[in-house]
Amino acid sequence: MQEKVRLERELKETQAVESKEKRTRMQTEAIKLVFSTYFRILKNAQDSTLLSSVLKGLGKFAHLINVDFLADLTNILGNIASSKDVSAEDSLQCVLAAFNILSGQGEVLTFDPHRFYVCFYRLLLDPCSQEQRLVLVAMECLDMLFKKRKQISTQRILAFMKRLCTVSLMSEPATAVGMLAATRLFLQVVIQPVFG
């Protein structure tokens, strides 16, 4: 009787390990299919209505992307972000996705994000990017940008702060207060160690 119980317990443990491995395989396959769909849309259907969702998904799941694809992906994102045919929202999402990629596994790449800095700097002054939902994306981009502050020159940081203050002058009062509060925080965190 005891041996039967022991055998049943071992059988259940074996099945649990197999089901865990099967679940991991299924999740890996699902992620592979999702990213292949994302890449297909980015390469071939940049005017698709799905582009915004793809960019949000890339930003969210950037840590799961294989390192081998990161260089090509950042090039594609740079092309989309600097394209005149793409909306300000999609360009901001491209910049955010690129910053997410470059702050995660993308740190191993020898990639100059100057292209994204220029695009983001230009987008901050775009009137369309002053809508409330786009301001939140812009603030996320700034947050990602300043997490890498040791790699960014003080002049570039100050230029972004100046641009943020300029944009706050043209924004709604609630948005302006949020931007100025963010500017104050960034100045305290980034500039004070340099000059203090």
Side-chain angles (χ1 to χ4, degrees):
M1 186 71 169
Q2 285 182 343
E3 192 160 319
K4 184 178 180 184
V5 171
R6 186 180 58 82
L7 287 174
E8 286 178 7
R9 190 170 8 118
E10 286 179 9
L11 181 62
K12 286 181 182 180
E13 288 174 3
T14 306
Q15 288 174 345
V17 169
E18 288 176 1
S19 66
K20 192 180 245 186
E21 290 173 354
K22 184 178 179 183
R23 184 177 29 176
T24 303
R25 264 196 320 267
M26 295 294 284
Q27 288 173 345
T28 303
E29 188 63 30
I31 288 171
K32 198 182 300 183
L33 291 172
V34 167
F35 281 130
S36 67
T37 304
Y38 281 178
F39 294 148
R40 195 173 304 125
I41 290 171
L42 287 174
K43 286 184 177 182
N44 302 324
Q46 294 178 3
D47 58 343
S48 172
T49 57
L50 297 173
L51 184 63
S52 181
S53 299
V54 166
L55 294 171
K56 288 176 186 173
L58 279 175
K60 188 173 184 179
F61 300 113
H63 63 283
L64 298 173
I65 299 173
N66 190 340
V67 177
D68 299 333
F69 299 116
L70 293 182
D72 291 335
L73 182 59
T74 51
N75 284 331
I76 291 170
L77 288 174
N79 292 337
I80 294 172
S82 58
S83 174
K84 302 286 185 211
D85 301 331
V86 178
S87 69
E89 179 179 10
D90 288 343
S91 291
L92 275 173
Q93 288 291 346
C94 275
V95 171
L96 182 60
F99 286 166
N100 278 327
I101 289 168
L102 294 174
S103 69
Q105 294 180 25
E107 289 179 344
V108 298
L109 295 176
T110 53
F111 184 80
D112 183 19
H114 176 74
R115 182 180 192 180
F116 295 106
Y117 297 153
V118 170
C119 182
F120 181 50
Y121 189 78
R122 177 184 50 83
L123 284 168
L124 279 176
L125 207 53
D126 188 339
C128 295
S129 52
Q130 294 172 19
E131 297 174 18
Q132 186 64 35
R133 61 188 166 80
L134 297 182
V135 169
L136 294 174
V137 176
M139 293 312 233
E140 283 183 65
C141 288
L142 280 171
D143 188 44
M144 293 299 296
L145 184 74
F146 292 122
K147 284 181 181 175
K148 299 177 65 160
R149 67 180 177 266
K150 293 179 180 165
Q151 301 167 355
I152 301 174
S153 69
T154 305
Q155 290 80 16
R156 180 165 284 151
I157 292 171
L158 291 173
F160 273 104
M161 293 300 95
K162 181 181 177 186
R163 180 60 57 102
L164 197 58
C165 289
T166 302
V167 171
S168 70
L169 291 172
M170 299 180 286
S171 300
E172 297 287 325
T175 305
V177 168
M179 287 181 178
L180 292 174
T183 303
R184 178 177 174 244
L185 178 69
F186 292 140
L187 286 174
Q188 286 175 342
V189 170
V190 177
I191 303 303
Q192 193 172 24
V194 173
F195 295 114

